[in-house]
Amino acid sequence: MITKRYGIYIVVAAAGIGLMVLAGTGHLQQFFFKPTPSLLKNGVVSKNDNSKDIETIAQNLTVPWGIAFLPGGDLLVTERSGTLQRIGKDNQKHAIDGVQHVGEGGLLGVALDPKFSANHRIYLYMTTKTGNALTNRIERYVYENRVLSQRQIILQNIPGEANHDGGRLAFGPDGFLYVTTGDAGNSALAQNKSSLAGKILRLTADGLPAPGNPLNSTIYSYGHRNPQGLAWDKQGQLWATEHGRSGIQSGFDELNLIKPGANYGWPLIQGDETRPGMEKPVAHSGPNETWAPASLAYANGSLFFGGLRGESLYEATITGDNTVALQVHFRGGYGRLRTVAVNNQALYVTTSNTDGRGQAKPGDDKVIRIKLSVF
């Protein structure tokens, strides 16, 4: 919950009470006083995460990464270790051949074809090996009667590395497949329009450049470091989250409004920096706060994304001029949060406490269902 007093925003979050300075540029600075972690419901502490509004629907997963919703309500969840899990009345596991689970790489995004009910196609993004090099690729399968078949590589040789592999898949309102790729640890590739690294791609269902792509290739936008969230608002506008710098100098995580053919500046600009021909983010975390945003979902006028290092669920409410107001939920309540997906008036959120960078608790990792009425 955010209130304004004397030009300063006072924030009540799961970490406690803090101060937030929100500039008109979208630059956000947060200073939290951090008591015992608890859960937040519209600024009110909720102690019961097994209530009818918040429930754990799957647990004991290994670094769950992507979520897709099957007709009938079951979920397909990728585990970075290389397993595709069906979660529902009768759970099922499928081992995906060729996955290289190295660092941040592995089995990542999953998406259902918009015509899934007719063609039963699903799409997977994975880290694999080409010779001795790590690369990423997109594979298409037919998933019918709980059987995976007709495996086909539709796009390959996306640069890969132990870090910065991107990996999100999502079909847009136009029926084309959008893909996020990371810079594979080589920041110069993000500006190289001959490379697939550090980009958002727009593909046909067969992996070809979608008609009307701005650069006459599969590339839709470029200059990205490690984008991992894609979502469209009610106006049909595409938004993306992106990991900022890492290491000792962390911060500058981004929420971007994506324009076809636009350059988002990495590694030449970050935060509020500008250069001609480059886009700066709608909002960013600033130099002293790290979200580590790993997803994006849209519901009821807000964009929701999970924070890994931030250990929070972030809600960015879109205003009429495409600026956003940020709220922080569940700070520290579940540990590292990765994927957020929306279905049937609820958010589905995965924890990522078994990824080697968190503190795993009994039952981790989990998929948690949160009714939108909570917000």
Side-chain angles (χ1 to χ4, degrees):
M1 180 177 67
I2 303 176
T3 57
K4 187 176 180 182
R5 295 290 186 272
Y6 309 109
I8 297 176
Y9 290 84
I10 302 172
V11 183
V12 180
I17 298 176
L19 303 180
M20 174 163 54
V21 179
L22 182 61
T25 59
H27 183 184
L28 181 70
Q29 291 279 1
Q30 300 181 46
F31 307 90
F32 281 97
F33 304 95
K34 192 173 183 181
T36 303
S38 57
L39 304 182
L40 180 72
K41 177 181 177 180
N42 289 338
V44 179
V45 173
S46 171
K47 297 181 179 179
N48 182 11
D49 67 343
N50 293 313
S51 70
K52 63 180 181 179
D53 294 330
I54 304 175
E55 60 179 335
T56 297
I57 65 168
Q59 57 185 355
N60 297 315
L61 303 176
T62 304
V63 196
W65 210 96
I67 297 176
F69 300 97
L70 292 167
D74 283 4
L75 281 66
L76 290 179
V77 176
T78 57
E79 293 179 295
R80 205 165 66 186
S81 55
T83 302
L84 177 67
Q85 290 224 35
R86 179 170 180 152
I87 296 171
K89 293 181 179 179
D90 298 307
N91 294 349
Q92 187 177 19
K93 295 183 180 182
H94 301 275
I96 306 300
D97 292 337
V99 173
Q100 297 291 314
H101 182 200
V102 180
E104 296 172 359
L107 184 60
L108 305 177
V110 57
L112 266 61
D113 194 287
K115 300 178 181 177
F116 177 83
S117 296
N119 62 28
H120 303 284
R121 288 175 172 176
I122 69 168
Y123 300 77
L124 299 174
Y125 185 108
M126 67 188 67
T127 307
T128 187
K129 272 192 174 180
T130 301
N132 293 322
L134 288 173
T135 61
N136 295 297
R137 70 185 184 213
I138 302 168
E139 295 186 351
R140 185 176 70 195
Y141 296 77
V142 168
Y143 183 63
E144 190 173 10
N145 297 323
R146 297 179 173 266
V147 175
L148 284 173
S149 65
Q150 300 184 39
R151 180 180 191 176
Q152 181 178 0
I153 299 171
I154 65 167
L155 185 66
Q156 58 186 335
N157 296 321
I158 301 168
E161 193 44 79
N163 298 310
H164 304 185
D165 290 289
R168 192 64 60 186
L169 300 178
F171 277 92
D174 55 10
F176 294 117
L177 179 62
Y178 290 74
V179 184
T180 70
T181 71
D183 68 9
N186 182 351
S187 59
L189 294 179
Q191 291 294 320
N192 183 349
K193 288 181 279 187
S194 296
S195 172
L196 295 179
K199 310 295 190 294
I200 293 176
L201 311 178
R202 180 173 176 260
L203 313 174
T204 69
D206 295 319
L208 301 174
N213 276 5
L215 302 177
N216 297 316
S217 69
T218 57
I219 296 171
Y220 192 72
S221 63
Y222 65 105
H224 300 287
R225 182 177 182 270
N226 191 22
Q228 291 188 333
L230 294 171
W232 288 262
D233 63 24
K234 66 179 180 181
Q235 306 299 330
Q237 299 180 117
L238 175 59
W239 297 76
T241 54
E242 183 169 338
H243 292 268
R245 64 190 188 181
S246 58
I248 295 176
Q249 287 190 322
S250 191
F252 288 124
D253 296 313
E254 297 181 353
L255 175 65
N256 288 302
L257 180 60
I258 302 300
K259 304 173 184 177
N263 180 355
Y264 287 82
W266 178 256
L268 302 176
I269 61 172
Q270 59 185 341
D272 292 325
E273 296 172 347
T274 60
R275 282 198 184 191
M278 296 184 182
E279 301 288 330
K280 66 178 183 179
V282 171
H284 63 82
S285 64
N288 301 315
E289 173 80 6
T290 300
W291 302 334
S295 56
L296 197 61
Y298 174 80
N300 297 345
S302 290
L303 295 157
F304 295 87
F305 57 92
L308 294 167
R309 187 166 173 180
E311 295 193 353
S312 302
L313 175 65
Y314 297 94
E315 178 184 2
T317 302
I318 304 170
T319 64
D321 56 356
N322 284 328
T323 59
V324 299
L326 191 75
Q327 296 184 65
V328 182
H329 303 288
F330 309 119
R331 195 175 184 102
Y334 295 108
R336 293 164 62 82
L337 300 183
R338 185 178 296 277
T339 291
V340 180
V342 62
N343 191 49
N344 290 334
Q345 291 300 303
L347 297 181
Y348 290 75
V349 182
T350 69
T351 67
S352 193
N353 296 316
T354 63
D355 63 6
R357 297 176 178 176
Q359 184 175 355
K361 298 177 182 178
D364 278 333
D365 272 316
K366 301 174 182 178
V367 179
I368 300 163
R369 182 179 183 271
I370 307 170
K371 287 187 178 181
L372 285 170
S373 57
V374 167
F375 306 98

